[in-house]
Amino acid sequence: MITRTAKVASKVGLHARPAAIFAAAAEESDYEITISFDGEEADATSILDVMSLGAMHGDEVTLSAEEDEAAEDLDRLVELLGRDLES
């Protein structure tokens, strides 16, 4: 298993538009990616699952995949979360 941590930069957190952008980017991966926050885990490709985590601006989330080959995809998603997706 491979993991990365990311800080949510969007001012509104992972709500609506930022969650949709993130989920669409996760869906481009060939690997199953999970996002975790505050003890809860969600399918990174599901907008509703991502929103249900309740991650807000400045919160740290964990991205994970079973395959080590997913490292590039996780790095890309970490970079995405590091930007304000609401702008």
Side-chain angles (χ1 to χ4, degrees):
M1 175 176 277
I2 187 168
T3 64
R4 298 285 191 272
T5 57
K7 192 170 278 197
V8 178
S10 293
K11 291 180 178 81
V12 296
L14 285 178
H15 187 67
R17 183 172 179 199
I21 293 169
F22 173 78
E27 199 165 308
E28 292 175 7
S29 176
D30 292 331
Y31 307 99
E32 285 188 31
I33 298 174
T34 301
I35 181 170
S36 305
F37 173 68
D38 201 26
E40 298 294 319
E41 196 172 273
D43 175 358
T45 64
S46 169
I47 298 167
L48 291 177
D49 283 0
V50 171
M51 287 175 55
S52 73
L53 292 175
M56 300 302 294
H57 174 78
D59 286 341
E60 199 167 84
V61 297
T62 301
L63 306 176
S64 59
E66 290 295 324
E67 302 85 357
D68 289 344
E69 296 80 13
E72 276 187 38
D73 291 346
L74 293 182
D75 291 341
R76 181 176 45 85
L77 293 171
V78 166
E79 189 274 325
L80 184 68
L81 290 174
R83 297 184 302 189
D84 186 356
L85 302 175
E86 195 61 27
S87 311

